[in-house]
Amino acid sequence: MSPYRPVVRHPVFGRVLPALVLSAVGDGMSAVAVGWLALELAPERSRGLWVGLAVAAYALPGAVGAVVLAPALRGRSGAHLAGLDATLRAVFLGAIGLLAACEALTIPRYIGLLALSALLNAWGTAGRYTLVAELLPKELHLAANALLTAIAEASTVAGPALAGLLIAVLGAPAVLTIDAATFAVLALSFRLVRPVPRAGPGAERAAGLAVIRHDRQLLRLTALSAGFFLLFGPIPVAVPLFAGSAAEVGLLYSAFGVGAVIGAVTVGQLRRLPLWPVTIGAVLCFGLLLVPLGLGLPLWADLLTLALAGLAWAPFPAASTALFQRAVPAERLPPVLAARSAVLVLATPVGTLLGAPLVHTAGPAATFVLCGAGTVAVGCVALVVHLRSRVPRVDRELQATSSSTLR
């Protein structure tokens, strides 16, 4: 039997999935609408600055919220956290549409509302994966994580195309209003999920970053993820300059998205994957597949390469999250995952900022090669550290076996 069947048919988790799919499509549309509306509202002389601020405002506040709001949010169930994030998104994205309809939306107000809508982003992500750990047995965690990844990646294929059509007909504010409505549906669906009983009052006192810092496995995994996302940061800067037209940009992103969906669905079918080798292998394969993009190959070869890169990328979020779910008890998982999300939310924009001068100086093709080589180097370091960490464990097991035999 497919491992997806018990996940989809779970009496609680299965009720949330349709709303997650709907909200993911709305988020895919907002990926286009956020920048486009900023372009329309910003003064002509400083459009680039305001568009960059809008894109950053839709993501970076989540890192601030992960730290500042931790004392207030620790101890809540996964459904509660995800519901709070969805509610905040619905309220403030809806306010953007309302102000636009009243002709009262200015670019500073727009940036402020986007920032407020994203304040619980890290906690919302943590809540979704905590819900997986709370509701499903350990053997289904990888399949459920892979399903969430597949939903997110599929939205990057369908959402932008749908957004282009709706913006042309209804305008960008209407698209953000539709996204707000999808988040409202998601918030209601999480509201209907019965909160899972939490552990005793002392279980949640440790801050997420403190838990990661004192656990070598989680610290290594967070460092690997941060390095991976940091080196991915320059890629969105390089792709528009690498492509010959806007249509080619869409094709390149779609090829990656299709490969990622296939990869996520496939990895979820494999019940007994060794999680650390899969996580490190995804980093290595992704880095190796970036390098051919800098070799001047025909368009069809670049599309195939990006599809394979998406295929390689997809196991990483599912397997790395499953490692956290196995290492941390469910009652302590939300602040830990929120702290991890905060690190990753910062890593990609920092990589983008560092990658912009690299793309300008070396060109997009060389950027692909350098980022690919750097990603492979990060994967190799992670592999060496992982293998070295296994040696003492194997030695201890052999000593224990020898002692029991002598007795």
Side-chain angles (χ1 to χ4, degrees):
M1 183 177 65
S2 169
Y4 289 118
R5 185 175 180 182
V7 173
V8 173
R9 299 186 67 177
H10 189 276
V12 177
F13 193 75
R15 291 205 308 266
V16 177
L17 278 176
L20 284 170
V21 173
L22 182 66
S23 178
V25 174
D27 237 10
M29 293 192 297
S30 287
V32 176
V34 165
W36 192 266
L37 183 54
L39 198 64
E40 293 178 343
L41 294 172
E44 188 173 351
R45 293 181 179 179
S46 55
R47 282 182 172 178
L49 172 64
W50 287 108
V51 170
L53 285 174
V55 173
Y58 199 53
L60 287 180
V64 178
V67 177
V68 174
L69 299 177
L73 295 178
R74 284 199 295 268
R76 300 174 187 263
S77 70
H80 195 174
L81 291 172
L84 287 174
D85 175 47
T87 301
L88 205 68
R89 293 277 197 181
V91 169
F92 289 109
L93 291 179
I96 291 172
L98 181 61
L99 287 178
C102 298
E103 298 184 355
L105 185 64
T106 62
I107 188 67
R109 289 175 182 172
Y110 177 54
I111 300 297
L113 289 170
L114 285 176
L116 290 171
S117 75
L119 197 57
L120 294 179
N121 183 25
W123 287 101
T125 302
R128 296 181 191 190
Y129 287 106
T130 299
L131 188 64
V132 170
E134 289 172 336
L135 296 178
L136 300 171
K138 185 180 294 186
E139 61 268 19
L140 293 179
H141 288 177
L142 183 62
N145 295 343
L147 186 60
L148 294 179
T149 301
I151 291 171
E153 295 298 342
S155 72
T156 65
V157 179
L162 187 57
L165 296 175
L166 291 176
I167 289 173
V169 177
L170 302 175
V175 172
L176 292 178
T177 303
I178 293 171
D179 190 22
T182 68
F183 274 115
V185 173
L186 183 61
L188 180 61
S189 73
F190 281 120
R191 182 76 176 176
L192 298 176
V193 173
R194 188 175 180 178
V196 175
R198 312 300 286 166
E204 290 287 345
R205 289 179 183 169
L209 285 175
V211 173
I212 293 174
R213 189 169 61 249
H214 291 97
D215 188 304
R216 290 184 179 180
Q217 176 180 232
L218 299 183
L219 186 61
R220 291 198 302 267
L221 186 55
T222 303
L224 172 62
S225 301
F228 190 21
F229 280 63
L230 183 74
L231 288 164
F232 182 82
I235 304 304
V237 182
V239 167
L241 298 174
F242 176 76
S245 65
E248 283 190 18
V249 174
L251 285 173
L252 292 169
Y253 278 121
S254 295
F256 181 87
V258 170
V261 171
I262 295 172
V265 172
T266 302
V267 76
Q269 294 279 1
L270 307 175
R271 298 172 185 266
R272 298 182 180 180
L273 283 178
L275 295 180
W276 263 110
V278 168
T279 301
I280 297 173
V283 175
L284 290 170
C285 292
F286 182 83
L288 289 171
L289 285 164
L290 281 184
V291 175
L293 294 173
L295 303 181
L297 301 174
L299 177 60
W300 67 266
D302 290 333
L303 293 174
L304 178 60
T305 300
L306 274 174
L308 293 173
L311 196 69
W313 149 264
F316 183 85
S320 61
T321 305
L323 284 168
F324 270 85
Q325 291 164 331
R326 292 186 180 184
V328 182
E331 66 271 11
R332 300 182 68 182
L333 196 57
V336 175
L337 287 181
R340 175 182 182 251
S341 295
V343 172
L344 301 187
V345 164
L346 285 172
T348 302
V350 169
T352 300
L353 291 174
L354 295 176
L358 174 64
V359 175
H360 178 74
T361 304
T367 299
F368 286 131
V369 174
L370 292 173
C371 289
T375 302
V376 171
V378 167
C380 289
V381 171
L383 180 60
V384 170
V385 172
H386 176 64
L387 293 175
R388 290 185 63 182
S389 70
R390 286 177 57 87
V391 173
R393 192 190 325 160
V394 173
D395 290 342
R396 286 195 300 269
E397 291 174 355
L398 289 173
Q399 289 174 4
T401 303
S402 300
S403 301
S404 61
T405 302
L406 291 173
R407 291 196 194 102

